[in-house]
Amino acid sequence: MTSRMPTLGTDPLDTLRTTISGSVALPGEPGYDAATPWNLAVPVRPRAVIAVESAFDVVTTVRFAAEHDLKVAVQRTGHGAVPLGDDVLLVYTARLTECTIDPGTRTARLGAGLVWQQVIDAAAPHGLAPLAGSSPNVGVAGFLTGGGVGPLVRTYGLSADHVRAFDLVTGNGDVLRVTPDQHAELFRGLRGGKATLGIVTAVEIDLMPLPSFYGGALYFDGADAAAVAHTWLDLCADLPEHTSTSLAFLQLPPLPGVPRPLAGRATVSVRFASVADAADAEAIIGALRGVATPILDGIGTLPYTALGAVHADPVDPMPSHEYSALTRDLTHEAIDALLAVAGPGSHSPQTIVELRLLGGALDREPRHRSVFCHRDAAFSVMVIGVLAPPVADAVVPHTHVLDRALAPWTTGTAMPNFAATGDPARIARTYDDDTAHWLGALADEHDAHGVLRVGQVVRTSR
Ligand SMILES: Cc1cc2nc3c(=O)[nH]c(=O)nc-3n(C[C@H](O)[C@H](O)[C@H](O)COP(=O)(O)OP(=O)(O)OC[C@H]3O[C@@H](n4cnc5c(N)ncnc54)[C@H](O)[C@@H]3O)c2cc1C
């Protein structure tokens, strides 16, 4: 790290520019657009983008903001971007790329700028695997501070339950190593609290001895959606913990990268990821092959490096709108209700309407408490609509239709990773009242000037 003496310039940000080893980019300057979020619909227009290279850079930014009455937000990929305006300095973490795999302890130390595929690829030569999310392009720190529900969630639980330590910069500008024993209250609050308690610069996690898994996705024609969805729900009823699954109604555009059989039509995808041996997993999955003939069959023993193939989430940045919910147990009436508003022939404008089975290991309290609430939800609902013609105007109103249709089963709660918003009412849905109060009070203690009071954070009302 190089540190230079501050010099005076016409813009106070010149002081920051000359003090940190990373870079400061104002609107129109090179580097500003690097922070264009994956979700292009979210207006991320901070005063400056601070591409940090060290914890020192983050501390300096936080202290600078406190002195100049500015806020500080953090972003890596913008998969969970929140609107930011010109009262905000945006800490952009992409240059924090430390990645150390320790095969002996089966752990990894990861800079906050890594995305999951980088970690997956680094761990794979050792036969080890991180508990990544469905999209390998999501950032490690954003995912883990939101809990992290990955394709193997029913087997291993929340990814954040497998964190060993965080390096944290608080709103007070303190640099802390946070573990179950050091700053234990922060260790609890960082797992599920997003950036409420500070900016994570590095994280240490457990790795699983998992060179491969059995799974992937079966894709069916939209005409088979009802039969497939009802059979899938039956299969969910007593699915062993060694297997996780989700179902998605898809309307993928005919764009490069979208497999031809799936492009420009309604399809339904059933995803599996199992750590059982292939024969046991196939015995479960085979039930679906009897219902209809898949138009694409991507199930098999896959190297862990292909984890992203399970959900095949969209890769390229796009203007999108998300809707999410958690549900209690779903009935066949719920499937019919969903088919009516989001299935083939419903004129749904949504690109992806996903039901993810939860439960299993997720539903057990981990060894170390976290602020991730609502572990007992049975399913998550995740809807992504693309805000582009010809459906741009229909996407948001249709989420209200979906919401009403599913109301008999939804719990009114949400998971932090699927609640990218600065709206306190929506953030409140991700925690129970006691947890939100505890988290907000802890945040106030570690951020006396309210520097981090922006975006998806929990605070007391003062
Ligand atoms: C296509 C898609 C698939 C997804 N799949 C899953 C999934 O399978 N499971 C799941 O749990 N989630 C999933 N998500 C949600 C995703 O995990 C969250 O949006 C997450 O916040 C993304 O992290 P990021 O750093 O890439 O995003 P960013 O938009 O860069 O960050 C989002 C937020 O994360 C927090 N954050 C980011 N970096 C830091 C940091 N260094 N320190 C502290 N806080 C930080 C901040 O609150 C920030 O506003 C998915 C999202 C999309 C769009």
Side-chain angles (χ1 to χ4, degrees):
M1 177 182 73
T2 50
S3 164
R4 280 154 274 164
M5 289 299 291
T7 54
L8 286 177
T10 48
D11 188 321
L13 277 162
D14 287 342
T15 312
L16 186 62
R17 212 188 279 272
T18 53
T19 308
I20 64 171
S21 55
S23 60
V24 175
L26 304 181
E29 291 183 349
Y32 190 84
D33 289 346
T36 301
W38 178 85
N39 184 350
L40 298 171
V42 181
V44 175
R45 298 188 192 107
R47 172 79 57 90
V49 172
I50 320 295
V52 295
E53 293 186 351
S54 63
F56 169 84
D57 285 359
V58 180
V59 171
T60 308
T61 304
V62 164
R63 291 192 176 148
F64 179 92
E67 280 165 25
H68 293 85
D69 204 21
L70 293 165
K71 307 279 181 210
V72 176
V74 58
Q75 187 182 288
R76 169 57 186 99
T77 71
H79 274 77
V82 287
L84 301 173
D86 69 0
D87 59 337
V88 176
L89 300 180
L90 180 58
V91 166
Y92 177 59
T93 57
R95 297 186 194 171
L96 301 177
T97 53
E98 175 184 3
C99 185
T100 308
I101 308 295
D102 184 340
T105 57
R106 288 186 189 158
T107 58
R109 180 174 163 81
L110 309 170
L114 295 173
V115 300
W116 280 117
Q117 191 66 49
Q118 292 172 295
V119 187
I120 291 172
D121 291 342
H126 307 283
L128 298 173
L131 294 173
S134 64
S135 165
N137 304 311
V138 154
V140 163
F143 178 83
L144 290 172
T145 53
V149 172
L152 290 165
V153 66
R154 291 170 41 77
T155 308
Y156 294 109
L158 209 61
S159 300
D161 294 344
H162 300 270
V163 170
R164 292 192 172 201
F166 295 96
D167 287 4
L168 180 72
V169 176
T170 68
N172 290 342
D174 296 322
V175 182
L176 303 175
R177 178 172 167 80
V178 176
T179 71
D181 304 317
Q182 294 168 264
H183 307 289
E185 73 291 354
L186 290 171
F187 189 73
R188 176 184 167 201
L190 278 170
R191 290 170 302 126
K194 301 295 289 185
T196 295
L197 297 176
I199 295 177
V200 171
T201 55
V203 57
E204 292 167 24
I205 61 168
D206 291 326
L207 300 171
M208 303 300 142
L210 207 61
S212 62
F213 66 101
Y214 193 83
L218 289 173
Y219 295 87
F220 299 90
D221 186 77
D224 297 318
V228 169
H230 283 291
T231 305
W232 178 77
L233 186 67
D234 288 339
L235 191 148
C236 287
D238 47 19
L239 194 66
E241 262 180 50
H242 58 52
T243 299
S244 299
T245 185
S246 64
L247 170 131
F249 299 134
L250 304 174
Q251 299 189 94
L252 303 179
L255 289 176
V258 176
R260 192 182 287 252
L262 309 180
R265 65 193 276 199
T267 58
V268 56
S269 147
V270 186
R271 298 85 160 254
F272 291 97
S274 180
V275 298
D277 65 46
D280 288 350
E282 184 52 41
I284 296 169
I285 295 166
L288 275 155
R289 286 209 177 84
V291 175
T293 307
I295 51 176
L296 251 185
D297 187 335
I299 300 271
T301 299
L302 300 180
Y304 196 81
T305 47
L307 186 72
V310 176
H311 285 245
D313 280 332
V315 175
D316 292 332
M318 56 185 201
S320 62
H321 179 268
E322 289 175 16
Y323 163 88
S324 74
L326 292 171
T327 77
R328 20 187 155 264
D329 272 334
L330 293 179
T331 59
H332 286 283
E333 289 73 28
I335 295 294
D336 284 336
L338 191 62
L339 281 162
V341 294
S346 66
H347 302 292
S348 159
Q350 311 296 347
T351 305
I352 303 173
V353 177
E354 174 194 281
L355 287 178
R356 216 180 271 204
L357 177 65
L358 303 176
L362 173 65
D363 193 15
R364 288 195 288 275
E365 276 304 319
R367 186 152 151 247
H368 304 293
R369 288 173 80 195
S370 75
V371 293
F372 184 91
C373 299
H374 317 312
R375 281 177 185 268
D376 58 346
F379 292 84
S380 77
V381 183
M382 172 69 174
V383 178
I384 297 182
V386 180
L387 299 172
V391 294
D393 295 338
V395 166
V396 177
H398 182 261
T399 57
H400 302 306
V401 175
L402 263 165
D403 194 52
R404 279 195 298 276
L406 290 176
W409 299 277
T410 50
T411 56
T413 59
M415 293 191 283
N417 270 350
F418 295 106
T421 176
D423 174 4
R426 287 183 55 208
I427 294 170
R429 295 172 55 203
T430 56
Y431 307 98
D432 59 49
D433 289 347
D434 286 350
T435 303
H437 183 76
W438 180 87
L439 187 58
L442 188 64
D444 288 344
E445 196 184 315
H446 287 277
D447 183 14
H449 299 288
V451 174
L452 303 178
R453 265 180 184 254
V454 59
Q456 193 182 340
V457 295
V458 179
R459 288 303 164 94
T460 55
S461 52
R462 76 173 168 83

